[in-house]
């Protein structure tokens, strides 16, 4: 993504226009993703070296990497094991001490150095007697006209590729900046107001700017990112360049949205309450004020001028399903069909059961359409409901999985599409489904609380509603992280709970889609083990390879408490609702992401009884344990998602296949919430 929209800008020219860049160098730069002069100027350093202040060799430590400068006083290559293995070593002296620098099995290093060379080395000691570094980063200091680019300053250290010397690239970027800095335009004229530079070559510090325009110009920021006067300049420059990226993304999102609104007309789906009233009356509980607030937002959308594009966020158990039901009723009242898509068959079937119970008394047909189940063909509806619906309501709700996307399936007169648990679906799938109709309204629901930074970028083209309140009267979930050696006690605890009438989930970390025969064997073995441990109580097994019909009957038995414990893979992660299940045991918990564990844990704590989630981790590394402790400490899905984002990055949080998160050179989805907000405001004010 390049902020230089003007293709005639000299910065859009290819790098081989630059002096000194021939075919080979251009090919090397291309491997780094550098094709144009602008790409080169935006190639951010990996780190910086303050070459005004060195560490004395005598002061280098094992703990912290540092830069030293010295002269090579001896060097040599040793071969051993019949010449197969080697170590090249030189000894550096800076007057304070000597430093041995070694490279294992890289005999070619020998030709880069000579006794008498002055060298920078960067690294930490592996030994102190004698002081030794293995594979430090090095740069030979050369005299000459350009030496000021490399020494006595904060020097940038760039990501490189094979054959490309650090020093050469630094020189190239310096010269390119000298020549092109004045051509780096403000891409967001009228939006971002930087303070004026004092001169073309003197970067202006943020401290010198008025607080309301606390930003360097883009040109200054580019210089500062490469050749900062102080290390604090780097972050100032990065933020300026990141802001440009976010602004550009927001412009893109807005124009996509505008485009969409221009070519689509909303179907009138606001409803008239004739189904909603009796529905709410028989529900057995009152909507929370958060649910009611969200429904008002949805009703405004469904009756509005543009098709709804709304993301509904609510922690597990916050009651999104009822909101979906009410939204569906609005469209149904208005004479349109509704489709509801769930990520797994189990969840689709659960929705089918709930919605049938809710809607058939209202005379609304509910259909199920999954890979293995088609209620239309099977006529699974109750006779009275079917008969009534023919008279009362010609429109229906169709619930399904991916099967809803298959070409053969076509739902006429589609007014509203609801997608449950969005993070399991790709953006592309979302679009496919919505294109099936004539721009139906779209409600996307997710229980993975999406950190604001991600939400505003990834789902920037959706409006967002949040259910930020749990229904009253919920049992609490207590979470414990335990080592595997505590398992006997844990099983005893589970037996007690089951004896008291409760039920339990036992979860193993297996990913259904990639299930191999081995995984199945492992889970099956665990299943037998659990059966033994819990006898005479009954135990059921659920994983990706269990046939649909069997899955259904296991779930039915679990719901009816004919089975007291369910051994399962992460399959039960989403949406399953059995309020009497109050214990969850997760083995090898460290293999799951925090957000995923939080989802899993959402299966319990759904009834009035106190619930217990026990995370077993034998992770040798303490970090994994620390990570899990976050779940002991908080039930706040947003906090957990933020932590997951910091620890594992956006891909993990959103699912492997399709993180869809935009890539930034300078922007940081973990840190830059304030900039993303600022970008949104700037673009909203100045579209
Ligand atoms: P999720 O947001 O995770 O999809 P569900 O919609 O499955 O949550 O709701 C969880 C449980 O809470 C369900 O049993 C549902 O019937 C119940 N529920 C939903 N809204 C309320 C409410 N306002 N008061 C009491 N219980 C509610
Ligand atoms: Mg749900």
């Amino acid at each position: 993504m390049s902020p230089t929209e003007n293709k005639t800008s000299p910065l859009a020219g290819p790098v081989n226009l630059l002096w000194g860049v021939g075919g080979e160098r251009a090919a090397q730069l291309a491997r780094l993703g550098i094709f144009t002069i602008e790409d080169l100027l935006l190639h951010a350093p990996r780190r910086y070296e303050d070459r005004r202040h060195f560490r004395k060799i005598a002061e280098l430590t094992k703990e912290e990497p540092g830069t030293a400068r010295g002269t090579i006083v001896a060097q040599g290559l040793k071969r051993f094991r019949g010449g197969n293995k080697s170590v090249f070593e030189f000894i550096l002296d800076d007057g304070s001490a000597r430093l041995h620098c070694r490279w294992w099995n890289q005999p070619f290093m020998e030709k880069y150095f000579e006794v008498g060379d002055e060298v920078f080395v960067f690294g930490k000691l592996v030994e102190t007697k004698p002081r030794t570094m293995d594979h430090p980063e090095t740069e030979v200091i050369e005299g000459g006209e350009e030496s000021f680019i490399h020494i006595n300053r904060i020097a940038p250290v760039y990501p490189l590729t094979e054959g490309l010397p650090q020093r050469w690239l630094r020189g190239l970027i310096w010269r390119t900046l000298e020549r092109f800095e004045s051509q780096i335009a403000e891409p967001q004229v009228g939006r971002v107001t930087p303070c004026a530079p004092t001169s073309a070559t003197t970067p202006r510090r943020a401290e010198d700017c008025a607080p309301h325009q606390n930003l360097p110009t883009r040109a200054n920021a580019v210089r500062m990112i490469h050749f900062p006067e102080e290390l604090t300049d780097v972050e100032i420059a990065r933020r300026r360049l990141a802001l440009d990226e976010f602004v550009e993304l927001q412009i893109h999102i807005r124009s996509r949205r505008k485009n969409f609104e221009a070519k689509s007309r909303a179907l009138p789906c606001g409803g008239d309450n004739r189904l909603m009233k009796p529905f709410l009356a028989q529900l057995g509980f009152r909507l929370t004020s958060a649910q009611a607030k969200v429904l008002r937002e949805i009703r405004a959308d469904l009756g509005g001028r543009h098709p709804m594009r709304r993301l509904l966020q609510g922690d597990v158990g916050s009651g999104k399903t009822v909101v979906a039901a009410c939204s569906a009723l609005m469209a149904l009242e208005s004479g349109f069909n509704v489709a509801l898509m769930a990520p797994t068959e189990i969840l689709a079937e659960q929705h089918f059961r709930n919605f049938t119970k809710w809607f058939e008394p209202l005379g609304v047909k509910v259909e199920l359409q999954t890979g293995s189940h088609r209620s239309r063909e099977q006529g699974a509806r109750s006779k009275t409901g079917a008969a009534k619906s023919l008279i009362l309501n010609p429109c229906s709700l169709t619930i399904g999985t991916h099967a809803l996307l298959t070409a053969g399936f076509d739902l006429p007169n589609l007014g509203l599409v609801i997608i449950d648990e969005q993070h399991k679906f790709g953006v592309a799938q979302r679009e496919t489904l919505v294109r099936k109709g004539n721009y139906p309204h779209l409600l996307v629901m997710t229980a993975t609380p999406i950190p604001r930074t991600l939400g505003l970028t990834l789902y920037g083209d959706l409006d967002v509603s949040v259910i930020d309140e749990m229904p009253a009267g919920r049992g609490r979930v207590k979470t414990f992280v335990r080592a595997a050696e505590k398992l006997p006690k844990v099983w005893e605890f589970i037996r007690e709970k089951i004896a008291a009438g409760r039920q339990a989930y036992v979860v193993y970390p297996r990913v259904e889609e990639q299930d191999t025969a081995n995984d199945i064997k492992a889970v099956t073995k665990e299943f037998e083990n659990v059966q033994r441990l819990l006898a005479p109580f009954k135990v059921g097994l659920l994983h990706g390879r269990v046939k649909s019909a069997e899955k259904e009957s296991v779930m039915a038995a679990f719901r009816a408490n004919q089975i007291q414990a369910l051994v399962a893979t992460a399959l039960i992660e989403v949406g399953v609702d059995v309020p009497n299940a109050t214990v969850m045991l997760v083995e090898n918990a460290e293999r799951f992401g925090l957000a995923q564990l939080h989802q899993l844990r959402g299966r319990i704590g759904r009834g009035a009884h106190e619930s217990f989630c026990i995370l077993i981790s034998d992770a040798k590394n303490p970090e994994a344990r620390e990570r899990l402790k976050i779940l002991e400490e908080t039930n706040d899905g947003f906090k957990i998602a933020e932590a997951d984002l910091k620890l594992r990055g956006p891909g993990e949080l959103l699912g492997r296949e399709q993180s869809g998160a935009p890539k930034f050179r300078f922007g940081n989805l973990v840190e830059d919430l304030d900039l993303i907000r600022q970008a949104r405001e700037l673009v909203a004010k100045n579209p």
Side-chain angles (χ1 to χ4, degrees):
M1 207 177 289
S2 140
T4 307
E5 268 162 34
N6 184 359
K7 292 294 171 237
T8 60
S9 156
L11 301 185
V15 278
N16 55 21
L17 292 180
L18 297 170
W19 188 82
V21 181
E24 191 187 346
R25 288 289 187 229
Q28 287 164 341
L29 291 171
R31 283 211 294 276
L32 292 169
I34 300 171
F35 300 94
T36 65
I37 293 165
E38 174 167 60
D39 292 337
L40 180 70
L41 291 176
L42 297 180
H43 184 60
R46 176 162 61 79
R47 62 181 181 86
Y48 300 84
E49 235 169 70
D50 190 345
R51 294 180 174 175
R52 301 165 305 180
H53 315 285
F54 302 106
R55 212 62 81 69
K56 289 200 177 92
I57 288 177
E59 291 166 357
L60 291 170
T61 65
K62 275 182 154 179
E63 285 74 37
E64 205 198 331
T67 307
R69 172 185 183 164
T71 308
I72 297 180
V73 292
Q75 74 172 42
L77 178 69
K78 262 182 261 168
R79 291 191 183 269
F80 44 95
R81 294 239 187 109
N84 281 336
K85 304 268 169 183
S86 71
V87 57
F88 168 71
E89 176 169 341
F90 65 58
I91 300 171
L92 205 64
D93 194 322
D94 72 347
S96 79
R98 289 189 161 195
L99 174 67
H100 296 244
C101 298
R102 301 184 297 195
W103 285 263
W104 299 89
N105 303 317
Q106 297 185 5
F108 53 86
M109 290 303 284
E110 187 182 30
K111 62 178 194 271
Y112 296 132
F113 303 99
E114 272 173 45
V115 171
D117 277 352
E118 253 201 282
V119 183
F120 293 117
V121 299
F122 172 81
K124 48 185 174 186
L125 300 183
V126 289
E127 277 167 38
T128 48
K129 282 177 193 158
R131 291 184 180 80
T132 307
M133 279 188 192
D134 280 338
H135 301 239
E137 288 181 29
T138 59
E139 192 176 314
V140 175
I141 303 168
E142 286 168 27
E145 238 172 81
E146 285 208 332
S147 61
F148 72 94
I149 299 174
H150 309 281
I151 55 177
N152 296 327
R153 68 160 61 248
I154 296 173
V157 178
Y158 296 100
L160 294 176
T161 181
E162 170 118 40
L164 197 66
Q166 190 62 253
R167 204 186 140 81
W168 180 85
L169 183 59
R170 190 183 299 127
L172 177 70
I173 289 178
W174 175 275
R175 290 189 306 272
T176 307
L177 254 178
E178 288 292 287
R179 196 168 138 204
F180 289 97
E181 188 175 7
S182 61
Q183 320 234 25
I184 300 175
E186 284 303 310
Q188 318 298 353
V189 180
R191 291 205 185 89
V192 179
T193 333
C195 57
T198 41
S199 79
T201 49
T202 316
R204 176 108 180 209
R205 307 279 173 62
E207 298 94 274
D208 304 333
C209 299
H212 67 278
Q213 40 176 220
N214 203 4
L215 286 168
T217 61
R218 183 170 170 85
N220 273 349
V222 171
R223 175 167 285 275
M224 283 158 79
I225 204 91
H226 293 290
F227 298 100
E229 290 190 357
E230 295 301 333
L231 281 171
T232 46
D233 285 353
V234 172
E235 175 62 4
I236 295 165
R238 183 198 71 80
R239 285 173 57 85
R240 164 63 215 247
L241 299 174
L243 182 64
D244 285 352
E245 289 178 334
F246 292 134
V247 166
E248 206 201 343
L249 178 71
Q250 293 299 336
I251 292 172
H252 179 69
I253 288 171
R254 267 185 92 90
S255 76
R256 206 167 54 195
R257 176 83 190 230
K258 263 209 178 126
N259 223 339
F260 165 75
E261 290 183 348
K263 71 179 182 200
S264 60
R265 227 185 48 234
L267 303 168
C269 288
D272 58 11
N273 273 330
R274 71 174 193 282
L275 297 170
M276 183 85 85
K277 268 220 177 93
F279 171 72
L280 291 177
Q282 60 74 52
L283 198 52
F285 52 75
R286 289 173 55 114
L287 298 183
T288 62
S289 55
Q291 285 169 319
K293 173 199 71 186
V294 165
L295 272 174
R296 281 195 296 277
E297 291 166 351
I298 291 173
R299 188 190 287 282
D301 282 359
L302 292 179
R305 289 205 308 141
H306 305 296
M308 173 166 77
R309 288 291 176 271
R310 188 167 285 276
L311 176 70
L312 173 57
Q313 289 195 46
D315 216 337
V316 277
S318 62
K320 293 183 293 295
T321 316
V322 175
V323 170
C326 293
S327 312
L329 289 175
M330 293 178 204
L332 290 161
E333 286 167 358
S334 311
F336 292 94
N337 289 317
V338 177
L340 168 61
M341 191 156 82
T344 64
E345 289 202 3
I346 288 193
L347 197 55
E349 273 146 23
Q350 177 178 291
H351 279 323
F352 177 62
R353 247 188 331 276
N354 278 336
F355 281 89
T356 304
K357 189 180 75 196
W358 283 335
F359 284 11
E360 289 218 328
L362 304 171
V364 176
K365 267 193 291 181
V366 182
E367 314 267 12
L368 181 64
Q369 183 94 7
T370 65
S372 57
H373 195 132
R374 281 175 178 71
S375 68
R376 258 192 233 179
E377 293 153 18
Q378 296 175 3
R381 281 171 287 110
S382 80
K383 281 185 195 112
T384 51
K388 252 191 188 165
S389 71
L390 286 178
I391 304 160
L392 286 180
N393 208 317
C395 301
S396 63
L397 167 67
T398 303
I399 296 173
T401 53
H402 299 75
L404 281 188
L405 299 176
T406 55
F409 178 76
D410 201 18
L411 201 59
N413 199 26
L414 192 57
L416 169 66
V417 173
I418 303 169
I419 302 182
D420 196 13
E421 314 293 353
Q422 156 74 16
H423 64 295
K424 297 283 162 177
F425 290 111
V427 174
Q429 282 173 311
R430 184 170 93 200
E431 287 308 309
T432 322
L433 188 65
V434 170
R435 282 211 202 94
K436 279 194 170 295
N438 186 18
Y439 293 109
H441 298 278
L442 175 67
L443 179 65
V444 173
M445 306 199 289
T446 173
T448 309
I450 298 158
R452 299 273 294 149
T453 51
L454 277 182
L456 290 175
T457 49
L458 197 60
Y459 296 113
D461 53 346
L462 300 180
D463 299 312
V464 178
S465 293
V466 182
I467 307 185
D468 50 7
E469 179 188 0
M470 287 290 182
R474 286 294 171 75
R476 284 176 15 96
V477 178
K478 284 191 176 155
T479 300
F480 304 94
V481 180
R482 291 286 179 265
E485 70 212 34
K486 290 277 158 54
L487 268 171
K489 275 193 120 166
V490 170
W491 282 114
E492 201 177 310
F493 175 78
I494 295 175
R495 285 187 63 95
E496 266 169 38
K497 289 291 161 196
I498 293 178
R502 304 285 81 75
Q503 288 165 276
Y505 296 102
V506 181
V507 183
Y508 290 89
R510 297 291 166 198
V511 185
E512 290 73 42
E513 291 83 36
Q514 291 104 304
D515 251 354
T516 63
N518 268 347
D519 284 349
I520 302 287
K521 231 199 282 173
V523 173
T524 311
K525 213 172 127 215
E526 284 307 332
F527 170 56
E528 284 159 11
N529 187 31
V530 174
Q531 275 182 318
R532 218 165 3 88
L533 285 164
L534 292 183
F537 298 114
K538 292 264 186 312
V539 184
L541 174 65
L542 220 54
H543 58 69
R545 291 282 173 88
V546 174
K547 293 242 159 36
S548 287
E550 195 186 331
K551 245 182 236 168
E552 252 174 275
S553 75
V554 170
M555 275 315 292
F558 189 62
R559 244 187 318 270
N561 200 0
Q562 291 154 355
I563 287 174
Q564 284 71 46
L566 197 60
V567 173
T569 58
L571 192 73
I572 55 160
E573 179 187 342
V574 250
V576 170
D577 191 22
V578 180
N580 191 46
T582 60
V583 183
M584 174 170 287
L585 172 67
V586 184
E587 295 238 32
N588 295 108
E590 74 282 350
R591 294 220 219 148
F592 293 98
L594 293 182
Q596 203 185 1
L597 286 169
H598 180 61
Q599 285 260 313
L600 276 169
R601 169 169 78 170
R603 301 309 108 221
I604 56 176
R606 295 186 154 240
H609 293 282
E610 190 164 43
S611 293
F612 303 89
C613 175
I614 303 139
L615 305 173
I616 303 293
S617 168
D618 237 4
K620 295 287 180 293
N621 72 36
E623 273 165 41
R625 286 280 191 92
E626 261 332 285
R627 190 166 68 86
L628 291 174
K629 285 233 183 300
I630 295 172
L631 292 169
E632 269 183 0
E633 285 155 18
T634 182
N635 256 318
D636 181 331
F638 273 97
K639 276 195 195 139
I640 292 163
E642 299 272 354
D644 227 19
L645 178 64
K646 288 200 175 116
L647 288 162
R648 292 160 56 109
E652 287 289 344
L653 193 64
L654 299 167
R656 266 165 287 271
E657 312 81 36
Q658 22 100 81
S659 94
K663 305 237 181 328
F664 301 106
R665 276 190 172 108
F666 299 99
N668 179 335
L669 284 174
V670 179
E671 311 285 348
D672 288 340
L673 179 57
D674 64 320
L675 290 177
I676 294 170
R677 283 214 180 103
Q678 221 174 306
R680 254 173 105 88
E681 275 164 31
L682 287 166
V683 175
K685 258 191 256 158
N686 268 305

